[in-house]
Amino acid sequence: MINKRIYFIFLLLVGVLLASCSKDSDEPTTDPTDDQGTEQPTPEPDPEAIDLSAYDNGERVMMQAFYWDVEPRFEWWTNLTGKVAGWSDAGINRIWIPVATKGQSGGYSMGYDVSDYFDFGEFSQHGTIETRFGSRAELEELIQTAHDNDVEVIEDIVINHNSGGGLEYNPYRDKDTYTLFDEEHGNASGMFNRNYEDFYPNSVSNYDPGSLFYAETNLDHNRERVQDWLWKKDNSVAKYYQNVMGFDGWRFDYVLGYEPWVVKAWLDEVGGFSVVELWDGNADVLKNYVEETGSRAFDFASFYKLEEGLDRYEDLNSLTGSQLWQTYPDKSVTFTANHDTEKDSNEDNYIKRENKMKAYAYIMTHPGYPCVFYLDYEDSEFQDELKNLIAIHNSLATGETEVLYVDEDEYIMKRNGTGTNPGLILYISISNSTKRRAVSSNWNNITLMDYSGNSTYNPTSDENGAVTIEAPANGYSIWSITE
């Protein structure tokens, strides 16, 4: 009896062993049937993103490569030299640098109190040889490094007001004014020496055309001598900066301080990329200026619509208001922050941190030439997101623009793409909850994905292109096709 029991147990063990050995090691360990023996469907694979680099639309982004009172002093050019290659790889093709010459404040000057137009950090004056940003040699190294990485360098130009000259009697104001600029008085380079006759009022002009800064040292551009030194002569500011220093273009500071013909005359003489600081939120004022000068302009109209919609009124209907990019997309330089807005104590002149990325999503997907602010890009919480937005801008942000839906807390815009480029759909929401909305796309029977990475939802359009997309709470998404 015992032997039969042992023999039975032995046979049972052999059967179990043979059954386990007969199972292929690659066979799934889960049963593809449910409890009733019904075969279950194979899960759909996740959609694959398209290769954005295959859709290069030729568009790029500018970097404002400074902020107010940059630190450390005397090392800024070297700091930028170490970053420019990485910026180029990210899709940036121009850097806008601060006024590069000696100002009255010497080693503390941000350059806007311009004294010597030809001292790039090589003459001892105003208490320093180097500028706040470094030496001339370091600046030249930055420019060369930028050019080696296919990045243009845009110089900030202050031709409205001067500062840091010596006192002299001014008969047109019947008092002493700081209008004497020579080798001993704030102009050690000896180039473009000037006196009271070069400023308003003088023997040619009896009025100041409305400058709000340094009224007594507001350059008179009607004087032939001033024109010669600023842009006409072979060693003028414009031609020296372009031909000797290697600058590729200009950011004209405070153009409200002089007439538009000055910018046009400069550009007619030397050309180059140009953008003006015309601080006015009226799109028509900006439009008229670019028509009169041929220059690009910072799109302050767009900036204020973003500030109003995201911050001041919390109403995204503002985003459909009049902006320069709507009329002249090739003349609009869009932005969300600059050195002035970030130091301004007026809360209506800057976009709050919590809304910055929504604002960047707007300018990176709409027409215009976006400008990224240094402090935003170098912020560890923003950088990866900004790199992704730049990649989207340089690839999918192309074609006609169409607003699909807008209300107080939702804004949906479509770029129609061109040729084989599919374009995109931007969805911004300032609601406290996730939003979904049905829209009309250009894509039929295609699964979409959010290329911002803010949503994991993957809707599929129908045969007519209708599709429901979503935006995360108080955020944005950017939709396009998948493989």
Side-chain angles (χ1 to χ4, degrees):
M1 187 66 141
I2 294 176
N3 290 338
K4 286 183 178 181
R5 186 175 297 171
I6 293 173
Y7 180 72
F8 175 77
I9 294 173
F10 171 78
L11 290 176
L12 182 62
L13 290 173
V14 170
V16 171
L17 181 61
L18 288 173
S20 64
C21 289
S22 68
K23 197 170 204 178
D24 193 308
S25 60
D26 293 330
E27 187 176 335
T29 58
T30 56
D31 191 341
T33 61
D34 60 16
D35 291 341
Q36 287 73 41
T38 304
E39 187 172 349
Q40 297 301 297
T42 303
E44 289 290 332
D46 291 335
E48 293 186 19
I50 58 175
D51 178 6
L52 295 185
S53 66
Y55 293 91
D56 189 338
N57 59 20
E59 300 293 331
R60 293 295 182 267
V61 173
M62 182 163 71
M63 169 75 74
Q64 180 180 358
F66 66 99
Y67 56 93
W68 197 257
D69 287 345
V70 298
E71 294 288 351
R73 292 188 304 119
F74 310 119
E75 297 179 23
W76 195 248
W77 300 145
T78 301
N79 170 55
L80 298 185
T81 298
K83 293 181 181 295
V84 72
W87 291 347
S88 177
D89 290 342
I92 289 164
N93 70 334
R94 290 187 179 97
I95 58 171
W96 156 30
I97 66 170
V99 183
T101 52
K102 196 70 61 66
Q104 180 182 19
S105 304
Y108 292 91
S109 172
M110 285 298 294
Y112 294 95
D113 53 347
V114 62
S115 179
D116 189 334
Y117 284 98
F118 296 89
D119 180 2
F120 291 92
E122 57 188 309
F123 296 99
S124 179
Q125 57 182 334
H126 299 306
T128 182
I129 294 177
E130 294 186 343
T131 67
R132 183 188 189 105
F133 315 111
S135 68
R136 173 172 176 152
E138 290 165 344
L139 172 60
E140 290 171 335
E141 182 182 3
L142 167 61
I143 295 170
Q144 185 60 57
T145 301
H147 290 167
D148 289 345
N149 286 276
D150 298 320
V151 173
E152 292 189 354
V153 181
I154 308 306
E155 168 66 333
D156 209 318
I157 297 294
V158 178
I159 56 173
N160 174 57
H161 50 272
N162 290 174
S163 188
L167 271 175
E168 63 178 349
Y169 177 70
N170 186 336
Y172 301 104
R173 292 186 180 270
D174 192 24
K175 65 176 183 177
D176 289 342
T177 55
Y178 289 95
T179 47
L180 179 60
F181 291 82
D182 58 22
E183 290 86 339
E184 287 76 40
H185 303 91
N187 199 54
S189 69
M191 300 175 72
F192 195 15
N193 284 338
R194 46 211 186 273
N195 61 30
Y196 58 79
E197 281 286 0
D198 298 307
F199 303 95
Y200 288 107
N202 53 51
S203 59
V204 175
S205 304
N206 293 321
Y207 69 97
D208 186 319
S211 171
L212 301 179
F213 302 112
Y214 306 96
E216 293 178 354
T217 52
N218 184 4
L219 282 169
D220 179 5
H221 303 90
N222 293 294
R223 290 190 62 84
E224 190 72 21
R225 184 175 180 281
V226 172
Q227 295 176 23
D228 285 344
W229 270 110
L230 286 181
W231 67 83
K232 287 184 175 180
K233 294 174 55 161
D234 287 343
N235 61 344
S236 64
V237 170
K239 292 179 181 176
Y240 188 93
Y241 284 27
Q242 186 178 70
N243 301 327
V244 178
M245 297 303 296
F247 291 118
D248 303 287
W250 330 99
R251 180 266 187 183
F252 288 96
D253 178 68
Y254 189 61
V255 296
L256 288 172
Y258 48 92
E259 298 87 344
W261 68 261
V262 174
V263 172
K264 186 177 188 309
W266 180 297
L267 295 178
D268 286 346
E269 186 73 30
V270 298
F273 175 90
S274 169
V275 58
V276 301
E277 182 207 29
L278 177 55
W279 197 318
D280 196 309
N282 187 323
D284 287 335
V285 172
L286 300 171
K287 172 179 171 290
N288 292 338
Y289 195 93
V290 302
E291 289 177 346
E292 193 167 354
T293 64
S295 175
R296 291 174 177 84
F298 281 109
D299 199 340
F300 277 91
S302 178
F303 170 79
Y304 281 114
K305 294 307 176 190
L306 285 165
E307 187 278 325
E308 290 170 3
L310 296 171
D311 287 350
R312 195 185 318 182
Y313 305 133
E314 296 184 346
D315 182 353
L316 296 187
N317 285 294
S318 292
L319 301 187
T320 62
S322 182
Q323 299 161 63
L324 179 61
W325 66 259
Q326 296 163 340
T327 308
Y328 287 110
D330 60 326
K331 298 296 185 183
S332 164
V333 178
T334 51
F335 66 102
T336 67
N338 66 30
H339 60 295
D340 285 321
T341 65
E342 291 295 293
K343 71 180 176 64
D344 197 325
S345 59
N346 183 348
E347 65 179 13
D348 291 341
N349 282 340
Y350 68 85
I351 295 171
K352 295 174 184 175
R353 179 180 177 85
E354 58 265 31
N355 290 321
K356 278 279 185 75
M357 289 301 103
K358 293 191 287 292
Y360 273 113
Y362 181 92
I363 69 171
M364 291 292 182
T365 53
H366 285 69
Y369 181 39
C371 183
V372 177
F373 183 48
Y374 178 92
L375 286 181
D376 290 339
Y377 188 88
E378 293 299 316
D379 188 319
S380 60
E381 293 184 18
F382 290 163
Q383 188 170 102
D384 288 343
E385 194 169 353
L386 279 172
K387 284 182 178 179
N388 187 51
L389 285 171
I390 293 170
I392 292 171
H393 170 267
N394 294 357
S395 56
L396 302 177
T398 188
E400 293 297 318
T401 305
E402 180 183 353
V403 176
L404 301 178
Y405 181 83
V406 63
D407 64 16
E408 278 194 5
D409 58 6
E410 293 176 76
Y411 175 85
I412 305 176
M413 179 277 300
K414 176 172 67 175
R415 296 296 297 273
N416 284 320
T418 55
T420 60
N421 192 311
L424 56 79
I425 296 177
L426 168 71
Y427 192 172
I428 298 176
S429 171
I430 56 175
S431 170
N432 291 326
S433 61
T434 299
K435 288 280 191 175
R436 286 191 178 180
R437 190 162 294 279
V439 297
S440 175
S441 78
N442 296 340
W443 314 306
N444 302 334
N445 299 313
I446 294 180
T447 299
L448 309 183
M449 70 179 296
D450 170 23
Y451 281 81
S452 75
N454 293 328
S455 171
T456 58
Y457 177 51
N458 293 119
T460 299
S461 60
D462 69 15
E463 66 275 10
N464 298 313
V467 64
T468 298
I469 58 175
E470 77 171 18
N474 200 26
Y476 68 92
S477 52
I478 302 173
W479 302 89
S480 194
I481 65 173
T482 58
E483 294 286 4

